[in-house]
Amino acid sequence: MKSLTLIAGLLLASAAAPAIAGDKDIRIRVGAGAKAEPKYVGSDDYQIGPLWDFDFARGTDPFPFEAPDDAFGFALISKDGFSAGPAGKLMWRRTEEEVGAPVGRVPTTIEVGGFVQYQIGKSTRVRADLRKGLGGHGGIVGSAGADKFWRDGDRYIFSIGPRLLFSDERYQRAYFGVGPAASLAAGLPAYSPRGGIHGVALVSGLSYQFNPRFGMFGFARYERLVGDAARSPIVRDFGSRDQLSAGIGLNYTFTIKR
């Protein structure tokens, strides 16, 4: 999560600092906007929520490439194009009211784990991450994918790439399963999905700087549920296999002098 308190403090501390950096300075880019996304995994209803961006670079180095759907994290190891480190994500709760049937709720989940990635040349990146749910769905979920990107320093970055989404049995039962009690209450057949690949996706992102201080960023993402997830009575009767999301925001770059 991008902390509002951290962002506000950094902005106040460096309000007078110019955006042009020396070799030892730290440039920070913060952004905010709005996004539309499914209310829960498998939903056909959408909600509007906040969209955040936070990046930093040293000196005059360009900001590192990040895909719009990367889990929040940072590299502990970085050498010769390879990097790895911790990663985390927050999954908001799913209520029975959002589904429209008494199939059980999924509490808010904090997912923690790690990622590995490798940049091939100057314009291709492959990445995989794996996270464990603490509370909430309590399962294991992850993704693997690749991105092709085009950039002109920080002036613009455009990227697009495929994703393979996978999860264990516990995760899939939380979102797609129908237990005996829920089957009786909702009038749905009991359903117990297995773990495995539950979706494929295509993700595209764009970042563009109007000038050294101000810019914009946005993304679009299409996901298709497959396998046991797609066969879930919850998805078939109350949701959709097709999951679309998109967002847009503005960012501001400033410099901390060292």
Side-chain angles (χ1 to χ4, degrees):
M1 291 290 291
K2 277 68 171 179
S3 166
L4 288 174
T5 303
L6 173 61
I7 291 172
L10 290 171
L11 284 171
L12 290 173
S14 59
I20 305 301
D23 291 341
K24 295 183 179 181
D25 298 334
I26 297 177
R27 291 184 301 120
I28 296 177
R29 184 170 64 189
V30 295
K35 63 181 176 180
E37 61 183 357
K39 288 186 174 181
Y40 59 88
V41 181
S43 175
D44 63 353
D45 290 327
Y46 288 80
Q47 62 186 3
I48 302 297
L51 177 65
W52 308 109
D53 184 41
F54 180 80
D55 301 292
F56 73 92
R58 296 185 182 278
T60 57
D61 292 344
F63 288 105
F65 167 71
E66 293 180 348
D69 60 339
D70 285 352
F72 178 71
F74 55 91
L76 291 178
I77 302 171
S78 183
K79 184 177 182 181
D80 299 329
F82 173 83
S83 57
K89 193 173 184 179
L90 181 66
M91 291 288 290
W92 294 110
R93 66 180 182 176
R94 185 195 75 181
T95 66
E96 292 184 334
E97 290 75 18
E98 289 173 331
V99 178
V103 293
R105 63 187 295 270
V106 182
T108 297
T109 309
I110 298 174
E111 298 175 351
V112 296
F115 77 92
V116 294
Q117 70 177 38
Y118 182 69
Q119 183 163 319
I120 305 170
K122 295 183 178 180
S123 61
T124 303
R125 186 201 72 168
V126 293
R127 176 180 170 116
D129 67 71
L130 191 67
R131 307 180 305 275
K132 165 67 176 175
L134 303 181
H137 62 68
I140 296 174
V141 60
S143 68
D147 295 277
K148 178 71 174 178
F149 59 93
W150 297 261
R151 71 182 305 166
D152 179 7
D154 288 331
R155 183 169 174 265
Y156 71 81
I157 303 177
F158 173 76
S159 66
I160 189 168
R163 301 288 186 271
L164 192 65
L165 313 173
F166 51 89
S167 53
D168 68 357
E169 184 177 272
R170 189 170 181 180
Y171 176 94
Q172 294 211 28
R173 285 186 175 180
Y175 285 105
F176 311 121
V178 181
S183 175
L184 291 173
L188 296 173
Y191 186 68
S192 181
R194 298 162 295 176
I197 296 171
H198 71 257
V200 294
L202 184 67
V203 184
S204 181
L206 173 66
S207 174
Y208 182 83
Q209 290 298 123
F210 305 123
N211 55 50
R213 285 191 181 274
F214 294 98
M216 59 81 67
F217 65 102
F219 80 95
R221 185 177 192 271
Y222 169 70
E223 178 182 335
R224 176 79 169 174
L225 296 178
V226 299
D228 284 4
R231 291 186 285 269
S232 166
I234 296 175
V235 175
R236 291 202 320 266
D237 293 1
F238 299 100
S240 173
R241 294 178 63 185
D242 298 308
Q243 307 281 282
L244 295 168
S245 57
I248 190 168
L250 298 174
N251 58 42
Y252 177 76
T253 302
F254 59 93
T255 302
I256 295 179
K257 290 293 186 178
R258 297 186 65 184

